[in-house]
């Protein structure tokens, strides 16, 4: 027991947090233990109330292979986390501030999120949250405190498929009608979604999630929610918790929350735009304008993101479907450009207060892992800052891709990521290896599939 206590990592939540929560919530009898894997999928267990305090005291053993699962939950041996090390246990520890009620459950349950560590208390290198934490530490050593905020675009769909098997937009709860047309920024659609929106805001308040504006987006049944900015780790935590909240509430309202990057061929894709700035130790924004012009530090960070975008695309677009989102004039960037108040670029400097100036990285899809995206964005910013790089002239209109700035498809992105010293440094060598093993296994699954379109085109023709 003494060896276990000595291995307690400093990042682990204090047991006082659990004691106070149990005292405040006598009605909660069970808790979800949640670990976020490399695909951004929640994995874990449900425990009984009496098991919570022991986990805060000494952690909970979980197999390291939980971070070597593909999107279907199958082991990928090439990760090195399965039989290569005997499917060995690591120890999961609660994340401070993550113990919250689950407002959608009856009988009521709670949730605590976990990070995975080696048995000696060192961070388990394949845990994506540790990759983001490491980039935060590097920037803090340089005197910068990263501040992030994520935007979440998603579809609300009917749980019943159409006759042809395709997704259908939801039926709005108050009218029973499906949204008609795009109706971007439409308020009537939001009004008719009132029962669900009310549940989202109440659930977010119960969980301490800084959810702000909801928007009807650029397709039938597509919406956007914004999260207030915060520390880099907390911002990513908020995003994964919000996706879990939306998915659970959608089921209970007869809908499906869909976080595919491109669920419909002819409609808008869903992004996960990352807003980023750097503060000093007193909380002052280091990206604030200087002498009525953009800060040199901000420009260096933008340059770093543009320089590393090609190598980062597998993180921003990690799945086969992710690559359907990138097309001309689609609000998804197809070339590494930057500009002020311009939504066609990859890195945008939004209009707004000069004191609150920040950048927006627009390449990531909502199907990407926010910890990996955050780690990669911060590493790119830091690279540009250390090199005092110049982003070049800004783009003032839509810029067509020249064809060679970014990988053209998923397979090329995998190969580019495999060759990238930058991405290996951003994610860490072990996580880089595991992530690539997972993506290669996922690619093989698609490559081996014979599709309905192939049968239709070639079956009786060639």
């Amino acid at each position: 027991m003494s060896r276990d206590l000595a291995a307690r990592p400093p990042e682990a939540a204090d047991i006082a947090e659990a004691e106070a929560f149990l005292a405040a919530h006598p009605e909660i009898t069970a808790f979800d233990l949640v670990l976020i894997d490399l695909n951004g999928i929640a994995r874990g267990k449900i425990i009984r109330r009496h098991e919570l305090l022991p986990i805060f005291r000494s952690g909970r053993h979980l197999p390291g292979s939980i971070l070597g699962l593909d999107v279907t939950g199958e082991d990928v041996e090439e990760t090195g986390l399965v039989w290569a090390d005997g499917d060995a246990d690591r120890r999961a520890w609660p994340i401070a501030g993550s113990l919250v009620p689950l407002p959608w459950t009856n009988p009521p349950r709670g949730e605590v999120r976990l990070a995975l560590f080696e048995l000696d208390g060192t961070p388990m290198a394949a845990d994506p949250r540790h990759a983001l934490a490491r980039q935060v530490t590097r920037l803090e050593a340089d005197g910068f405190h990263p501040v992030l905020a994520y935007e979440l675009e998603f579809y609300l769909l009917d749980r019943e498929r159409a006759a042809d098997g395709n997704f259908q937009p939801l039926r709005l709860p108050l009218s029973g009608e499906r949204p008609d047309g795009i109706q971007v920024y439409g308020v009537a659609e939001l009004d008719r979604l009132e029962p669900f929106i009310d549940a989202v805001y109440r659930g977010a308040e119960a969980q301490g999630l800084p959810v702000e504006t909801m928007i009807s987006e650029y397709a039938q049944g597509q919406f956007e929610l914004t999260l207030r900015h915060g520390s880099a780790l907390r911002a990513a935590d908020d995003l994964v918790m919000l996706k879990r909240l939306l998915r659970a509430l959608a089921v209970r309202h007869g809908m499906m929350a869909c976080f595919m990057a491109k669920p419909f061929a002819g409609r808008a894709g869903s992004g996960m735009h990352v807003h980023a700035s750097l503060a000093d130790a007193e909380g002052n924004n280091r990206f604030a304008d200087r002498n009525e012009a953009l800060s040199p530090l901000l420009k260096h960070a933008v340059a770093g993101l543009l320089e590393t975008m090609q190598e980062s695309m597998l993180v921003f677009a990690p799945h086969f479907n992710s690559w359907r989102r990138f097309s001309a004039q689609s609000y998804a960037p197809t070339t590494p450009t930057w500009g002020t108040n311009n939504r066609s670029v990859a890195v945008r400097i939004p209009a707004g207060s000069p004191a609150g100036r920040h950048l927006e990285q627009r390449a990531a899809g909502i199907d990407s892992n926010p910890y990996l995206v955050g780690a990669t964005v911060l590493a790119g910013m830091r690279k540009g800052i250390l090199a005092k790089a110049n982003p070049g002239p800004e783009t003032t209109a839509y810029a067509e891709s020249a064809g060679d700035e970014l990988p053209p498809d998923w397979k090329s992105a995998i190969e580019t990521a495999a060759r990238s010293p930058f991405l290996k440094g951003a994610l860490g060598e072990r996580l880089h290896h595991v992530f690539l093993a997972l993506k290669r296994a996922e690619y093989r699954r698609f490559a081996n599939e014979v599709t309905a379109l192939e049968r239709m085109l070639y079956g009786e023709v060639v």
Side-chain angles (χ1 to χ4, degrees):
M1 179 62 71
S2 60
R3 188 171 65 87
D4 289 346
L5 291 176
R8 180 187 182 87
E11 302 95 325
D14 192 277
I15 192 171
E17 180 180 337
E19 292 171 336
F21 186 90
L22 291 174
H25 295 279
E27 76 284 2
I28 292 181
T29 59
F31 293 86
D32 293 13
L33 302 183
V34 176
L35 179 75
I36 303 300
D37 73 6
L38 272 74
N39 286 305
I41 298 171
R43 310 280 183 189
K45 303 179 178 183
I46 296 180
I47 61 167
R48 304 304 296 169
R49 180 183 178 93
H50 69 270
E51 298 179 88
L52 185 67
L53 289 181
I55 291 173
F56 273 75
R57 288 193 188 99
S58 54
R60 180 77 172 239
H61 285 133
L62 286 177
S65 58
I66 200 170
L67 295 176
L69 301 176
D70 67 13
V71 293
T72 71
E74 290 189 24
D75 289 329
V76 175
E77 174 61 30
E78 292 87 345
T79 63
L81 296 175
V82 192
W83 302 119
D85 70 352
D87 196 16
D89 275 342
R90 270 71 174 188
R91 182 162 293 163
W93 289 88
I95 295 169
S98 71
L99 184 53
V100 294
L102 296 180
W104 61 82
T105 55
N106 185 23
R109 299 200 311 272
E111 172 186 289
V112 61
R113 280 173 299 107
L114 307 172
L116 206 57
F117 293 80
E118 301 293 349
L119 299 184
D120 64 2
T122 57
M124 202 285 191
D127 187 326
R129 194 174 189 274
H130 293 319
L132 177 53
R134 186 169 57 253
Q135 294 305 323
V136 170
T137 299
R138 288 176 178 174
L139 280 165
E140 288 178 342
D142 298 331
F144 304 117
H145 297 266
V147 177
L148 299 181
Y150 293 87
E151 292 178 1
L152 180 147
E153 296 175 347
F154 64 104
Y155 277 83
L156 288 175
L157 306 174
D158 196 320
R159 294 206 67 80
E160 292 188 11
R161 302 285 184 95
D164 60 3
N166 287 327
F167 292 137
Q168 301 185 93
L170 78 159
R171 292 189 181 276
L172 295 166
L174 293 186
S175 66
E177 301 167 331
R178 300 191 196 280
D180 184 21
I182 292 175
Q183 299 298 350
V184 63
Y185 288 98
V187 292
E189 286 69 26
L190 295 178
D191 180 61
R192 293 166 189 170
L193 196 60
E194 179 185 10
F196 176 76
I197 295 175
D198 179 61
V200 169
Y201 282 127
R202 286 189 289 107
E205 184 178 1
Q207 294 196 311
L209 294 176
V211 175
E212 296 192 327
T213 307
M214 188 162 184
I215 301 168
S216 177
E217 264 290 348
Y218 208 73
Q220 294 166 279
Q222 188 188 37
F223 301 90
E224 178 187 276
L225 274 171
T226 60
L227 286 156
R228 190 166 58 251
H229 61 269
S231 68
L233 279 169
R234 179 57 196 258
D237 290 341
D238 289 342
L239 192 282
V240 298
M241 288 177 68
L242 180 56
K243 287 180 71 172
R244 187 161 147 77
L245 176 70
L246 289 169
R247 186 174 277 124
L249 289 176
V251 169
R252 286 157 177 81
H253 284 78
M255 301 179 286
M256 179 179 105
C258 180
F259 301 108
M260 287 176 63
K262 189 78 168 178
F264 298 99
R267 301 179 193 169
S270 294
M272 186 180 74
H273 303 156
V274 185
H275 295 255
S277 61
L278 297 175
D280 62 20
E282 288 73 42
N284 301 305
N285 181 17
R286 295 292 304 277
F287 282 176
D289 289 2
R290 291 188 179 183
N291 301 319
E292 300 183 354
L294 295 179
S295 158
L297 190 72
L298 172 58
K299 287 188 173 183
H300 298 331
V302 169
L305 291 178
L306 298 181
E307 181 184 338
T308 58
M309 187 172 169
Q310 182 182 51
E311 298 168 82
S312 305
M313 284 304 296
L314 185 62
V315 169
F316 300 151
H319 306 294
F320 175 78
N321 178 258
S322 308
W323 290 83
R324 298 191 183 280
R325 178 171 157 259
F326 298 98
S327 59
Q329 301 181 13
S330 65
Y331 292 102
T334 56
T335 187
T337 53
W338 78 283
T340 303
N341 197 20
N342 180 354
R343 283 186 171 84
S344 74
V345 296
V347 183
R348 170 180 174 245
I349 311 301
S353 164
R357 192 72 68 205
H358 63 278
L359 62 83
E360 178 190 17
Q361 165 48 278
R362 297 176 56 82
I366 194 55
D367 57 341
S368 55
N369 183 315
Y371 297 113
L372 300 185
V373 170
T376 306
V377 166
L378 293 184
M381 289 167 55
R382 182 172 184 264
K383 181 175 182 179
I385 289 169
L386 293 179
K388 296 185 177 180
N390 186 338
E394 66 176 293
T395 298
T396 57
Y398 177 76
E400 292 283 355
S401 171
D404 59 354
E405 302 99 333
L406 298 178
D409 51 38
W410 190 31
K411 187 174 189 296
S412 300
I414 294 172
E415 294 170 349
T416 300
R419 297 190 300 266
S420 170
F422 164 76
L423 195 62
K424 185 179 291 187
L427 303 182
E429 187 171 352
R430 183 72 181 279
L431 193 150
H432 181 260
H433 169 80
V434 173
F435 184 59
L436 280 167
L438 293 175
K439 296 300 104 181
R440 285 168 171 150
E442 192 175 340
Y443 177 83
R444 288 195 300 271
R445 185 183 288 266
F446 277 94
N448 292 334
E449 179 70 19
V450 178
T451 66
L453 180 60
E454 289 173 87
R455 287 188 285 269
M456 182 183 73
L457 291 180
Y458 308 132
E460 290 189 291
V461 177
V462 296

